[in-house]
């Protein structure tokens, strides 16, 4: 198994040590199948490094194509694990359809979701849905309550785009 993470992420301007969280999870009983951790350098924080397991993403991807064919899996694949009283097998299909239909996305649109990536709405409409349909999007590295968000949105034109729709 391979885990892909980043060194850190900024959430509301504060660093969140993603690689350290992954290391802690792997140290728990039951993660013996993890053989590689691919780390994206962002924003470049100091991290613990395991020579036998950890690899920098820029080194792994150097000289490789920037496109790849999708890996087709069954609807019940454990892509998204969530405790429910029923099946989550149709999660990705639901995310793709609702991203397309709810937000009325077209090929020339640039999508932005203001939800927190930690919410189910956030990872559904920031990661899963837009990636499933190949949408172009802007990802805001913050939280919905970030006071400086307005200026960043206006600089990128995302807020203006959202208001015109």
């Amino acid at each position: 198994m391979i885990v892909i993470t980043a060194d850190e992420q900024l959430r509301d301007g504060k660093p969140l040590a993603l690689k350290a969280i992954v290391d802690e999870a792997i140290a728990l009983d039951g993660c013996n199948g993890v053989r590689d951790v691919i780390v994206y350098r962002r924003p470049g924080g100091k991290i613990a490094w395991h020579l036998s397991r950890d690899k920098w993403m820029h080194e792994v991807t150097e000289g490789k194509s920037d496109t790849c064919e999708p890996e087709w899996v069954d609807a019940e694949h454990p892509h998204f694990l969530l405790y429910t009283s029923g099946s989550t097998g149709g999660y990705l299909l639901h995310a793709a359809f609702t991203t397309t239909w709810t937000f009325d996305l077209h090929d020339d649109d640039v999508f932005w979701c203001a939800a927190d990536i930690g919410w189910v709405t956030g990872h559904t409409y920031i990661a899963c849905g837009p990636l499933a349909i190949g949408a172009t999007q802007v990802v805001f590295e913050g939280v919905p309550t970030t006071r400086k968000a307005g200026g960043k949105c206006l600089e990128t034109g995302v807020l203006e785009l959202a208001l015109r729709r």
Side-chain angles (χ1 to χ4, degrees):
M1 183 183 330
I2 297 172
V3 175
I4 301 173
T5 189
D7 52 358
E8 294 179 338
Q9 173 189 348
L10 296 176
R11 293 202 23 97
D12 199 19
K14 300 175 201 109
L16 177 64
L18 297 178
K19 171 68 167 54
I21 294 169
V22 168
D23 289 343
E24 185 178 326
I26 291 172
L28 297 174
D29 193 29
C31 293
N32 302 336
V34 176
R35 70 170 200 269
D36 293 305
V37 175
I38 311 297
V39 183
Y40 180 75
R41 191 182 317 243
R42 170 80 175 101
K46 185 175 176 153
I47 58 173
W49 199 257
H50 303 272
L51 287 174
S52 64
R53 185 194 70 200
D54 298 346
K55 297 168 179 52
W56 287 114
M57 181 175 282
H58 66 274
E59 293 174 359
V60 171
T61 59
E62 187 175 350
K64 303 283 194 280
S65 174
D66 62 353
T67 60
C68 67
E69 289 298 313
E71 180 72 26
W72 296 105
V73 296
D74 292 333
E76 290 78 22
H77 189 271
H79 154 73
F80 180 71
L81 299 177
L82 175 69
Y83 175 77
T84 68
S85 58
S87 170
T88 57
Y91 170 78
L92 187 57
L93 181 64
H94 173 79
F97 282 152
T98 56
T99 300
T100 302
W101 296 336
T102 304
F103 301 107
D104 190 29
L105 287 182
H106 301 277
D107 290 342
D108 60 341
D109 288 339
V110 177
F111 179 68
W112 176 54
C113 177
D116 187 309
I117 190 72
W119 303 338
V120 70
T121 305
H123 55 263
T124 299
Y125 298 116
I126 293 172
C128 299
L131 286 173
I133 65 170
T136 300
Q137 67 173 334
V138 174
V139 177
F140 172 61
E141 191 175 58
V143 295
T145 57
T146 301
R147 293 177 188 236
K148 298 175 190 165
K152 289 180 183 178
C153 293
L154 290 174
E155 287 172 20
T156 62
V158 175
L159 184 59
E160 183 181 350
L161 177 75
L163 292 174
R164 281 189 282 152
R165 293 258 17 210

